[in-house]
Amino acid sequence: MNCNMYQGKWVYDNSYPLYNSTDCPFIRKEFDCLKYGRPDHLYLKYRWQPTNCHLPRFNGEYFLKRFKGKKIMFIGDSLSLNIWQSLICMLHAAVPNSRIIKQELNNNTISAVTFQDYKISVMLFHSLYLVDVDEERIGRVLKLNSMRNGDQWKNNDVLVFNTWLWWYRRGLKQQWDYVNDEGRITKDIDRMTAFRTALTTLAKWVDSDVDTNRTKVIFQGISPSHYNGTEWNEPGVRNCFKEMEPFNGSSAYPVGLPEAAYVVKDVISKIKKPVHLLDITALSQLRKDAHPSSYNAFKGMDCTHWCVVGLTDTWNQLLYAALLS
């Protein structure tokens, strides 16, 4: 691909969305915005149009035939859950009458949807930090240089990694008590440094352990949230509740990319083996309209995740293009 699929603009397209959310039996109540009363539907009607290239329309049946017998695994937090939900809905929409089974495996750390007629498994491995968190005598220890789950990951055919959401969480939401970096145990650490170190552990593991002739490795870029209207020229706005259309300034988002996105690009650029960055950050920043906001089962204000049907379908179209290239 000598064009950049990730540079472009959102265009109105009446043939969208790609499927009907009421037909998909897999959507969780966090993301099912239409079911939980979202009244506006314009957000469903936007197609990503790269500036210099053609983004192929997703063809679920072709995808299933092309990846027949393969195992695809998304590894990460609830934003991995978000993109995984979208992909299984897109595939289900293509072959609604084929035999599909859903299983919880490995002590509920893996959710797997298998399209039996194509022997293709689309899996989700739940991991907040990718690196290990171990219960030890002193408490839960975040081990920045250790990634034991790699042995369960590396034998799949496609790996899509993602982490970021939990690195800055503190207090009750923080999932560790101590951090271990090269044997040094401390109560806390600069979070961006910790994030970079964990990504570097992943990078070293890809270079040492993954056979990239067999396994395609993708890193799912940083997903932006929309809680601060200053970012999209609406100071004083504190969430995405009333947002009904994409940001429409000059093509660039006013605040630029978050620092974490630069860290991801830097670490990935140093991996010797081929790894594709699913570079969704900038195009998703424009979609302040595509979050559940309060249209979810919990009625909480969610401007972090994305409605399914919605933006994550575009992430999967871009994933599809990357896998076919």
Side-chain angles (χ1 to χ4, degrees):
M1 268 195 266
N2 40 6
C3 65
N4 184 348
M5 286 281 187
Y6 303 101
Q7 277 175 343
K9 61 176 192 271
W10 290 100
V11 296
Y12 179 83
D13 185 336
N14 202 32
S15 72
Y16 272 51
L18 295 171
Y19 58 96
N20 190 334
S21 63
T22 52
D23 295 336
C24 183
F26 303 110
I27 305 179
R28 287 176 49 139
K29 46 186 187 265
E30 293 97 315
F31 312 132
D32 204 345
C33 305
L34 293 179
K35 179 176 177 180
Y36 290 97
R38 181 159 178 172
D40 60 305
H41 293 176
L42 188 61
Y43 74 98
L44 298 169
K45 296 287 184 188
Y46 288 97
R47 174 172 58 79
W48 179 246
Q49 177 64 61
T51 310
N52 296 322
C53 39
H54 167 67
L55 177 60
R57 193 174 175 98
F58 187 87
N59 181 331
E61 205 167 348
Y62 180 72
F63 185 102
L64 289 163
K65 286 176 180 161
R66 174 74 188 263
F67 294 100
K68 191 167 187 169
K70 304 280 192 222
K71 292 190 170 78
I72 298 167
M73 183 178 270
F74 293 90
I75 300 149
D77 54 35
S78 52
L79 286 153
S80 296
L81 168 65
N82 216 171
I83 188 175
W84 172 78
Q85 291 252 284
S86 157
L87 182 59
I88 56 181
C89 285
M90 290 163 87
L91 294 173
H92 170 267
V95 291
N97 301 317
S98 71
R99 292 175 303 156
I100 302 171
I101 52 169
K102 184 170 186 287
Q103 299 160 287
E104 298 297 322
L105 309 166
N106 195 35
N107 217 349
N108 287 347
T109 51
I110 300 175
S111 301
V113 170
T114 304
F115 292 80
Q116 289 181 291
D117 301 336
Y118 300 88
K119 298 183 175 58
I120 176 173
S121 262
V122 185
M123 292 175 284
L124 173 73
F125 188 105
H126 179 67
S127 171
L128 299 182
Y129 304 104
L130 302 181
V131 291
D132 298 335
V133 178
D134 287 342
E135 286 282 352
E136 298 197 349
R137 196 174 42 79
I138 53 171
R140 301 162 300 172
V141 181
L142 175 66
K143 298 191 168 172
L144 296 178
N145 324 103
S146 167
M147 225 177 58
R148 282 194 311 274
N149 288 323
D151 290 343
Q152 296 184 60
W153 301 339
K154 65 185 180 190
N155 296 322
N156 293 293
D157 301 286
V158 178
L159 299 174
V160 185
F161 290 100
N162 143 67
T163 182
W164 167 240
L165 193 55
W166 288 79
W167 287 92
Y168 273 78
R169 294 193 168 170
R170 298 175 192 276
L172 292 173
K173 286 197 163 166
Q174 182 178 303
Q175 301 294 304
W176 48 270
D177 307 304
Y178 292 89
V179 59
N180 180 330
D181 183 13
E182 301 287 3
R184 284 188 307 281
I185 294 182
T186 49
K187 199 72 182 128
D188 209 345
I189 186 173
D190 175 79
R191 301 304 176 93
M192 196 63 79
T193 305
F195 176 63
R196 178 184 284 273
T197 304
L199 287 186
T200 304
T201 299
L202 175 70
K204 289 176 179 162
W205 172 80
V206 169
D207 276 337
S208 66
D209 279 43
V210 180
D211 174 5
T212 48
N213 294 319
R214 178 204 154 168
T215 301
K216 194 139 186 159
V217 181
I218 313 269
F219 193 88
Q220 178 183 333
I222 303 295
S223 174
S225 57
H226 291 91
Y227 293 100
N228 180 359
T230 310
E231 292 182 359
W232 61 90
N233 299 337
E234 287 183 47
V237 172
R238 287 280 161 263
N239 58 45
C240 57
F241 181 59
K242 293 197 167 73
E243 305 303 329
M244 294 185 197
E245 46 197 314
F247 175 77
N248 192 14
S250 60
S251 56
Y253 196 61
V255 290
L257 292 174
E259 186 187 348
Y262 292 104
V263 172
V264 166
K265 284 182 179 175
D266 185 46
V267 173
I268 284 179
S269 69
K270 293 174 180 156
I271 300 177
K272 297 179 186 69
K273 289 184 177 169
V275 172
H276 179 83
L277 174 60
L278 192 68
D279 195 3
I280 52 174
T281 310
L283 65 92
S284 303
Q285 281 181 315
L286 303 174
R287 296 305 307 272
K288 58 187 171 58
D289 57 323
H291 298 286
S293 73
S294 63
Y295 300 110
N296 59 68
F298 308 105
K299 301 284 176 270
M301 182 54 61
D302 183 356
C303 303
T304 299
H305 301 95
W306 308 92
C307 294
V308 177
V309 174
L311 172 71
T312 44
D313 306 329
T314 296
W315 295 0
N316 278 311
Q317 269 187 286
L318 289 157
L319 176 63
Y320 177 70
L323 292 174
L324 294 181
S325 67

